[in-house]
Amino acid sequence: MFIAARRSLALDVPALAWVHLVALGWLTMVALSVLIHVIPTFTDVAWKDELLARRALAVYAMGVAALVAAFWWRAVSVLPWAAILVAVGLGGYLFAALRTLAAGFAQPRVEAAIARALWTTLASLAVTAVLGVVPAWRLAGHVPLGLGMSAAPIHAAFGIIAWLTVLVMGVSTRTVRPITGARSRIAFAHAAAGSLEIGGVIVAAVGFAFGRATIAWAGAVIVAVGALLYVSDLVDVLRRASEKHRPPQAFLWAAGMWLLAGLALALDALAGGGCGVAALYVLLAGWIGQMVNGHLYHIGIRLIATMARGEEDETPPGELLKEPLSWVSFSTFQTAILIGGLGLFFEDSSLVELAACSGFAGWLAMLVNIVGARSRAIHGQRAASGATISLLETLRS
């Protein structure tokens, strides 16, 4: 991001390298990797072709690396083939995942509902992948400029809203409660919000495809209503939080606010304003990125603890993390998003460079914190094992 700010602030090819590195290399890769474990756990259905899904992730990763490199070095002739490699990797993974989830439709009511929701979300990823191939071929000059002009905005809408946003909303139905210690008081909120997001994206896509601004606006408004419903429910849960470990909750607060800010910028861009790049940045790094970070600081640390200490371990994440470091990472991340959004809005490269430095500091603080948590989890387990052995030896003697 720091180097791209010195090249171009417009949505040029190097900037697209950053967008796809974040959206595909970080967020989607995290999501697909976690879903390997989430799908059988949430739906109570064993994977079909799990080996195919795991190997397809490797193909996908190679495709993402090639795509980002092609964008960064403006190797437009490579773009179509890199996009196809990404699509092939996703195709293998989605073939296995969608087959597995389809088997979950026959499960009891709750598991079947989760299976249908995940199936719909992953189908949105498939649409995103197919739509992404068209702009790649157009940039390489293999498709007439007038053909497929609407594919890029539809691709972005499906990727950020119908895929990543709806996935976050769906997964949070099961994860926000352990993070906060409170549950939603609106039973239908998450399902209704996700349905509005997908429905709104489809309506907006029809408007983009046929050049109908009114239809595109209708879809955008539906998406905004779904976001407002989700955020209002999330804020209500966070206000009633009883869990004492506050940094993950702060990340969720911030993520909800960045979602509303990003959609406001997107609506301005739809009206002809120059906020499109800032909207992409705020939605990716602010909304989805901060939700991922909030989950990492609670769910991720719990995973680290159970890997080190066994499935029966119940160590609270706050005991393994250093809270000052958590707050340093939180503040530097939010500063990076705010300053970066302003820099992209006003086309001020110095602000974008400052945002990149602030974000880098946030990642360093988070990295140190998580490595330290892992070390404490492992050493604490060893100390506990040593105490148990000493006790047994004492009893034996």
Side-chain angles (χ1 to χ4, degrees), residues 321-346:
L321 291 164
K322 294 295 185 183
E323 190 164 316
L325 272 178
S326 299
W327 288 118
V328 167
S329 65
F330 173 79
S331 59
T332 48
F333 277 134
Q334 309 322 308
T335 301
I337 297 159
L338 176 61
I339 295 176
L342 291 173
L344 292 169
F345 183 83
F346 293 110

Side-chain angles (χ1 to χ4, degrees), residues 49-231:
D49 301 314
E50 181 179 353
L51 184 60
L52 171 63
R54 290 178 178 273
R55 288 180 174 174
L57 276 180
V59 177
Y60 167 76
M62 290 187 288
V64 171
L67 187 70
V68 170
F71 276 127
W72 186 254
W73 282 291
R74 301 177 187 270
V76 292
S77 61
V78 180
L79 281 175
W81 309 108
I84 288 175
L85 188 58
V86 170
V88 168
L90 284 177
Y93 182 96
L94 293 173
F95 174 78
L98 294 176
R99 282 189 67 220
T100 303
L101 290 168
F105 295 171
Q107 292 293 97
R109 185 173 62 87
V110 174
E111 288 80 4
I114 294 172
R116 286 192 295 269
L118 287 174
W119 194 98
T120 303
T121 308
L122 287 171
S124 298
L125 175 59
V127 174
T128 304
V130 172
L131 290 172
V133 174
V134 177
W137 281 78
R138 190 166 62 82
L139 283 171
H142 299 306
V143 177
L145 288 177
L147 185 64
M149 284 291 289
S150 61
I154 297 174
H155 166 68
F158 264 93
I160 295 176
I161 303 299
W163 159 233
L164 288 171
T165 293
V166 174
L167 179 69
V168 168
M169 289 180 175
V171 170
S172 67
T173 61
R174 301 288 291 269
T175 56
V176 168
R177 184 180 178 187
I179 292 174
T180 64
R183 67 169 67 204
S184 172
R185 293 189 289 196
I186 309 174
F188 64 88
H190 290 82
S195 299
L196 287 169
E197 299 300 290
I198 291 180
V201 166
I202 293 173
V203 172
V206 172
F208 285 131
F210 293 97
R212 302 289 185 179
T214 305
I215 298 176
W217 267 101
V221 169
I222 294 171
V223 168
V225 170
L228 285 170
L229 175 61
Y230 175 82
V231 172

Side-chain angles (χ1 to χ4, degrees), residues 21 39 97 159 162 199 227 232 236 284 321 327 335 354 361-362:
L21 182 61
I39 286 175
S232 62
D236 178 62
L284 284 173
L321 291 164
W327 288 118
T335 301
L354 183 60

Side-chain angles (χ1 to χ4, degrees), residues 37 41 299-316 377 381:
H37 306 280
T41 302
I299 306 296
I301 301 304
R302 286 291 304 119
L303 175 62
I304 287 173
T306 56
M307 289 173 66
R309 301 180 173 185
E311 295 292 336
E312 302 302 319
D313 180 78
E314 297 182 359
T315 306
Q381 175 64 12

Side-chain angles (χ1 to χ4, degrees), residues 253-264:
W253 270 101
M257 298 305 103
W258 290 126
L259 171 60
L260 298 182
L263 288 178

